[in-house]
């Protein structure tokens, strides 16, 4: 690998950027001289315009295909052919590292932060209690922030850490009011995952409160994974952390296992359908 490409990869890791290393792995005819060439490509169009893989007029199409691979977060082995010969490239994608934000620094957050870091997530823990939100309690976390939940989320969005489709948020706060603060701030963000701990009764109470007092459409809560996690019969804080992380990894890797939230989500949808049908019947009458 060329030194410039290596430097670009290291810089991308440091800046939490998605990139791909594109390498010409084979070539025949006019493309034989390009074998072994590589370049780092970013998903935005302008970042790779000056990259030259020695492929002539095929340079731009290959870079476009490489950017699509970066967007899809999957490696690609691509083959091309024309009258002047054929060649292959391997697109090795280095996606942005997933970022887990844990809202609440209680007894479940401690093992969850540790497990997430072992799974190579960036980990941020937030809590409004400085006696809980400190680095001594979360030595493996990348960031621990003591401050009001909602304002801290606003600060994260405005700072370097975007609340985007590489971000996973777990709400394990100590009470309804803090869950509500977080949900009000997060419901419209394009998060990869938004999960909330609690009993079905607590979850239903939170959702109904927000529907009535904040006029939030009920359908918006369908994306909230609540109850959180995959049902493994977890009891202890560490076991609950495992079931939460299992669901997050399932979402990340597009796995098949249903989470605990699936049933309650279906129940909410069915209640809305029945309510709408009832309104329609009364209107017809």
């Amino acid at each position: 690998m060329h030194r410039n490409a290596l430097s670009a990869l290291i810089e991308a890791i440091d800046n939490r950027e998605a990139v791909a290393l594109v390498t010409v792995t084979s070539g025949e005819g006019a493309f034989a001289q390009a074998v072994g060439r590589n370049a780092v490509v970013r998903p935005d169009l302008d970042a790779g315009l000056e990259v030259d893989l020695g492929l002539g007029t095929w340079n731009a199409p290959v870079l476009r295909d490489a950017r699509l691979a970066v967007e899809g977060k999957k490696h690609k082995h691509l083959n091309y052919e024309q009258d002047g010969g054929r060649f292959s490239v391997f697109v090795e994608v280095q996606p942005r590292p997933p970022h887990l934000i844990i809202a609440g620094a209680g007894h479940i957050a401690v093992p969850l932060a540790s497990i997430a870091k072992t799974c190579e997530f960036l980990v941020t823990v937030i809590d409004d209690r400085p006696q809980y939100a400190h680095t001594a309690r979360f030595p493996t976390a990348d960031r621990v922030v003591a401050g009001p939940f909602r304002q801290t989320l606003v600060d994260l969005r405005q700072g370097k850490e975007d609340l985007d489709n590489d971000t996973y948020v777990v709400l394990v706060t100590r009470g309804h009011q803090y869950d509500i603060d977080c949900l009000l701030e997060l419901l419209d963000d394009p998060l990869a995952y938004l999960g909330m701990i609690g009993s079905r009764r607590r979850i239903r109470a939170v959702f109904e409160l927000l529907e009535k007092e904040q006029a939030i459409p009920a359908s918006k809560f369908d994306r909230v994974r609540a109850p959180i996690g995959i049902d493994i019969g977890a009891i202890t804080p560490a076991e609950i952390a495992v079931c939460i992380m299992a669901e997050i990894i399932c979402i990340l890797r597009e796995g098949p296992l249903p989470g605990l939230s699936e049933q309650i989500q279906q129940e909410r949808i069915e209640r809305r359908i029945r309510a709408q049908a009832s309104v329609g019947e009364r209107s017809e009458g």
Side-chain angles (χ1 to χ4, degrees):
M1 184 190 305
H2 193 277
R3 181 176 296 178
N4 290 343
L6 179 59
S7 298
L9 285 175
I10 294 173
E11 181 182 354
I13 292 173
D14 291 340
N15 294 331
R16 194 172 172 252
E17 295 177 341
V19 295
L21 177 65
V22 183
T23 304
V24 182
T25 56
S26 67
E28 299 176 4
F31 304 110
Q33 50 80 34
V35 175
R37 288 205 183 192
N38 53 43
V40 173
V41 176
R42 289 177 169 80
D44 53 292
L45 182 62
D46 295 335
L49 287 179
E50 297 181 0
V51 174
D52 184 10
L53 292 168
L55 299 172
T57 57
W58 280 93
N59 199 71
V62 169
L63 293 180
R64 282 198 299 269
D65 291 344
R67 291 188 189 97
L68 291 175
V70 177
E71 293 174 5
K73 302 179 183 180
K74 292 183 179 180
H75 305 320
K76 293 284 186 179
H77 197 172
L78 304 173
N79 301 301
Y80 303 86
E81 185 173 357
Q82 68 171 31
D83 293 341
R86 66 179 69 182
F87 66 94
S88 299
V89 300
F90 182 64
V91 183
E92 184 177 1
V93 176
Q94 176 182 283
R96 298 175 70 193
H99 179 202
L100 175 64
I101 299 175
I102 306 172
H107 56 294
I108 293 172
V110 174
L112 180 58
S114 178
I115 295 169
K117 195 61 187 175
T118 300
C119 295
E120 300 182 343
F121 278 65
L122 289 175
V123 178
T124 296
V125 181
I126 67 174
D127 200 293
D128 61 339
R129 300 167 294 176
Q131 67 269 33
Y132 284 87
H134 57 80
T135 55
R137 184 172 171 83
F138 296 94
T140 62
D142 296 277
R143 191 174 185 182
V144 182
V145 183
F149 286 103
R150 190 167 186 179
Q151 185 57 50
T152 300
L153 291 170
V154 171
D155 293 342
L156 288 175
R157 184 188 293 108
Q158 294 175 346
K160 185 178 179 180
E161 304 297 343
D162 297 326
L163 302 182
D164 54 21
N165 60 6
D166 289 312
T167 305
Y168 299 72
V169 180
V170 169
L171 306 182
V172 283
T173 71
R174 64 188 185 279
H176 288 308
Q177 66 270 35
Y178 307 107
D179 295 332
I180 289 171
D181 282 347
C182 293
L183 285 174
L184 285 172
E185 193 57 44
L186 295 169
L187 273 176
D188 291 325
D189 285 299
L191 303 171
Y193 176 93
L194 176 57
M196 183 174 70
I197 201 166
S199 66
R200 293 190 179 188
R201 181 178 179 182
R202 172 182 170 178
I203 292 162
R204 187 173 292 114
V206 168
F207 290 171
E208 289 177 355
L209 180 67
L210 288 174
E211 288 175 36
K212 293 177 182 177
E213 295 190 359
Q214 299 291 332
I216 296 175
S219 58
K220 280 199 172 187
F221 300 110
D222 292 343
R223 66 187 295 247
V224 182
R225 299 275 174 165
I228 199 169
I230 288 175
D231 189 1
I232 59 173
I235 296 176
T236 69
E239 292 170 351
I240 294 170
V242 169
C243 91
I244 294 171
M245 203 63 214
E247 182 173 58
I248 290 173
I249 292 172
C250 192
I251 298 298
L252 174 66
R253 302 302 183 194
E254 300 179 352
L257 290 176
L260 287 165
S261 62
E262 301 274 334
Q263 184 176 351
I264 194 170
Q265 285 176 345
Q266 187 59 38
E267 289 174 357
R268 289 200 304 271
I269 293 170
E270 290 174 357
R271 278 202 304 274
R272 287 205 303 274
I273 292 173
R274 288 197 298 269
Q276 291 168 359
S278 177
V279 170
E281 290 174 359
R282 288 199 298 271
S283 299
E284 291 175 2

